[in-house]
Each structure stands twice: as structure tokens, then as C-alpha cells.
Amino acid sequence: MGELSIEYRFGRSVYAITVHDPGEVRRFGAEVRVDGRVLEGAEIPLVDDGARREVEVRPRSVSPAA
């Protein structure tokens, strides 16, 4: 468990990125949220508009086999 955080500047914008349980993300893949909205893929769209964005990366939930 654990987490790591980084702030990434893209032009005038800042992306505050937190990765929760990095080992589990590596094992199961990532669910990525930007400002609370789940992204379809793992790529974070970067926009240079001066805004601050909160990015959360969490392990994908793994449903037990039926």
C-alpha cells in the first residue's frame, strides 16, 4: 500500500497527481480520474489554460471470478 504524489506543470497549468497503491496499479492497471471524472484510458489530457487539476490514479477494481 501507500501512495506517491507529484505536481506536474504544463505551461500555466498544474496537475497535482496522486497514485494510490502503486504496486496494485502495476498489477491490475489504473483507473484515472481528473477533477473527479473517470477517464476512458490511462492517458491524462494536458491543457495549458492556467487551471489546477487534481488527478487520482487508483488500481482498477478486480471482481472475483464467478
Side-chain angles (χ1 to χ4, degrees), residues 39-63:
L39 301 182
E40 298 228 0
E43 292 183 20
I44 300 166
L46 301 176
V47 179
D48 180 10
D49 62 0
R52 178 181 177 86
R53 293 189 172 74
E54 299 295 324
V55 179
E56 286 190 279
V57 180
R58 296 184 178 274
R60 286 190 195 275
S61 55
V62 177
S63 57

Side-chain angles (χ1 to χ4, degrees), residues 4-60:
L4 59 96
S5 298
I6 187 170
E7 286 196 354
Y8 178 77
R9 182 173 300 279
F10 181 75
R12 297 170 296 138
S13 298
V14 174
Y15 289 77
I17 303 168
T18 302
V19 180
H20 301 273
D21 300 322
E24 296 296 297
V25 167
R26 181 177 172 164
R27 185 173 172 199
F28 297 113
E31 174 185 271
V32 181
R33 292 177 181 260
V34 177
D35 295 333
R37 295 181 61 206
V38 177
L39 301 182
E40 298 228 0
E43 292 183 20
I44 300 166
L46 301 176
V47 179
D48 180 10
D49 62 0
R52 178 181 177 86
R53 293 189 172 74
E54 299 295 324
V55 179
E56 286 190 279
V57 180
R58 296 184 178 274
R60 286 190 195 275

